[in-house]
């Protein structure tokens, strides 16, 4: 399981501005939550998590710090509670979930997590589906990938496939999350 054990400086020391003068937090403290009925709880040994590993690898390569990795089954209450716990951590500036975004009855991640959103980011889902078009064509209609701001933290809800998380993380999240985290917390700056 990929994890970066680098020490994360206080948020105030990581607050910067980009070339356009926009608020940023960099590096980010990242929590990754993998939702899977086949890899969830009840396993003594840590099960493989290729999608979570892909998210971690891309974000660590971009200079961020993975501060939490969790794996939960497709259960509405467990997903919501786990993400909520991540949002309460002082070392988490970004939460990314993977899995449970389809259309089956047990795909409840978007429902559970979006209840925590203070503000939605509909542009993420639109951009993700647009970028996915070449690979999956009309199957993009079956993903309910979404994003929002919850308790001043950007939260991205991704599908479970490795290709999907690599695309979303490399092309959107790693590019925009520092800026989103900076904007979402700007009201806290003295």
């Amino acid at each position: 399981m990929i994890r970066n054990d680098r020490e994360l400086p206080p948020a105030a020391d990581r607050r910067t501005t980009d070339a356009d003068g926009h608020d940023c937090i960099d590096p980010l403290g990242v929590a990754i939550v993998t939702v899977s009925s086949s890899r969830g709880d009840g396993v003594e040994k840590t099960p493989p998590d290729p999608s979570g590993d892909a998210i971690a690898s891309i974000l660590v390569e971009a200079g961020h710090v993975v501060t939490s990795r969790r794996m939960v089954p497709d259960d509405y209450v467990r997903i919501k509670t786990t993400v909520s716990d991540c949002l309460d951590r002082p070392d988490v500036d970004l939460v990314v979930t993977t899995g449970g975004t389809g259309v089956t009855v047990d795909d409840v991640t978007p429902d559970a997590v979006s209840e925590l959103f203070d503000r939605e980011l509909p542009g993420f889902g639109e951009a993700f589906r647009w970028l996915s078009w070449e690979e999956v064509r009309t199957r993009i209609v079956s993903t309910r990938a979404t994003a929002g701001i919850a308790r001043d933290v950007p939260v991205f809800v991704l599908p479970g496939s490795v290709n999907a998380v690599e695309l979303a993380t490399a092309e959107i999240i790693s590019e925009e999350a520092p800026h989103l985290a900076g904007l979402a917390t700007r009201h806290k700056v003295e």
Side-chain angles (χ1 to χ4, degrees), residues 169-180:
T169 306
E171 297 295 325
I172 303 171
I173 298 170
S174 67
E175 295 290 321
E176 294 302 323
H179 178 60
L180 289 170

Side-chain angles (χ1 to χ4, degrees), residues 33-52:
V33 178
T34 300
V35 178
S36 174
S37 54
S38 62
R39 292 188 299 267
D41 291 345
V43 180
E44 286 185 28
K45 194 171 144 187
T46 303
D49 180 13
S51 294

Side-chain angles (χ1 to χ4, degrees), residues 54-137:
I55 294 165
S57 178
I58 292 166
L59 292 176
V60 166
E61 179 73 24
H64 305 298
V65 179
V66 176
T67 57
S68 176
R69 293 276 306 258
R70 302 283 302 274
M71 189 173 289
V72 296
D74 291 292
D75 176 82
Y76 185 95
V77 172
R78 296 280 303 278
I79 295 165
K80 186 176 178 183
T81 301
T82 300
V83 172
S84 183
D85 290 347
C86 292
L87 293 170
D88 288 340
R89 290 177 57 137
D91 63 350
V92 170
D93 306 299
L94 169 67
V95 177
V96 183
T97 73
T98 175
T101 64
V103 297
T104 66
V105 295
D106 57 345
D107 287 326
V108 295
T109 307
D111 309 300
V113 176
S114 65
E115 270 201 24
L116 299 168
F117 291 167
D118 300 311
R119 292 172 302 287
E120 290 185 50
L121 299 171
F124 168 73
E126 295 162 2
F128 173 69
R129 284 180 276 282
W130 179 75
L131 289 170
S132 299
W133 176 259
E134 277 304 309
E135 183 180 341
V136 297
R137 308 297 288 179

